[in-house]
Amino acid sequence: MSVRARMRRFEQALRERGLKSTAQRDDIARVFFGAEGHLSVEELYAAVRRVNPRVGYATVYRTLKLLKECGLAAERHFDDGQARYEPVEDDQQQHDHIICERCGKIVEFASQELERLQERIGRFLGFVVGRHRIELYGICAECREGRRRRPRSEHGVHRL
Amino acid sequence: MSVRARMRRFEQALRERGLKSTAQRDDIARVFFGAEGHLSVEELYAAVRRVNPRVGYATVYRTLKLLKECGLAAERHFDDGQARYEPVEDDQQQHDHIICERCGKIVEFASQELERLQERIGRFLGFVVGRHRIELYGICAECREGRRRRPRSEHGVHRL
DNA sequence: TGGCGAATTGAAAACGCTTTTCAATTTCAC
DNA sequence: GTGAAATTGAAAAGCGTTTTCAATTCGCCA
């Protein structure tokens, strides 16, 4: 989905809630939708500042909370102690993450087999499983070969 | 492993590091080893206080950090925003958790199939996977049937 | 187009959990 | 026992996040 389309979704969500459309909100949302996923608040704040230096930290937090409530952003808590956010594709199935502990690269994957297995384990233990958190931590190929130091987060979900 | 045996391990670890043995440290470690797993700092602090009201919060934090470094405690971060700690059995394989979102019950499980699958996914994506974090969230049988409100954390790892 | 009440904003304060500081106390090798 | 070094509790600081509050902005209605 394009940034444009997401912005329309956002504006619509605001209207539905009786909220106002402001320059700050729009700028934050636009930068967020335009960036590739897994941004920390700090990173988003810095990126938004480049576009509009008048936005404050609090507004970034508030807007992310809003985007989350609208279902346009997903909040993730990896092991680095700060929340990260990714834009949600509406056709996007649930997915998980594998993270390189050397360079910080985050790769998304979705495994049907993993879904099934998790479901089965839950049922065996008497649970009805709703959501899960699955994170694998390791070293990526590039880092093992000493090729790159800080690659960008790879984009898109690998379907397995 | 008994509380006694764990205490011996702890004392030994202290000696190896040239650290001193104190009443506070011993009390905290003993209570920790004696409790069933997944205690928050707050819970451990309260339990230790019942035994020895002279211990401070900071010392509980410091001792948990120490136990972690000695490999006698594992730190977990579930979705409730505070760290939880469990005693480590030395024969204990890596295990994962399933958590009831209604009553907070935490059940441990270890699935070979899950291990294998995770390993396979990692390799496919070019990673060498070291550790992982797998948490399933759902509703447990008791809660679904409205039987109990706040059961204790079930003890022991379910091997699947 | 202007006016007005309500929503929104930025800065700073508050928050919750955790770590650090520091002076006072305790441990332990001699 | 003695003294240097480690440890302690209380309080302060840290860190990411949320809330407060006065000032600004939005957008409905005249």
Side-chain angles (χ1 to χ4, degrees), chain A residues 62-98:
Chain A
R62 285 190 278 235
T63 304
L64 280 170
K65 191 176 186 182
L66 192 52
L67 286 165
K68 194 172 50 174
E69 285 163 10
C70 300
L72 292 165
E75 188 178 353
R76 304 277 180 183
H77 293 265
F78 300 132
D79 273 357
D80 62 352
Q82 61 191 323
R84 292 183 174 274
Y85 296 83
E86 50 179 317
V88 171
E89 311 277 343
D90 52 1
D91 66 330
Q92 194 175 33
Q93 73 206 74
Q94 170 130 243
H95 64 265
D96 303 298
H97 299 85
I98 183 164

Side-chain angles (χ1 to χ4, degrees), chain B residues 20 22 25 54-55 59 62:
Chain B
K20 292 175 178 173
T22 69
R25 285 221 254 249
R54 306 161 47 78
V55 295
T59 305
R62 286 190 276 233

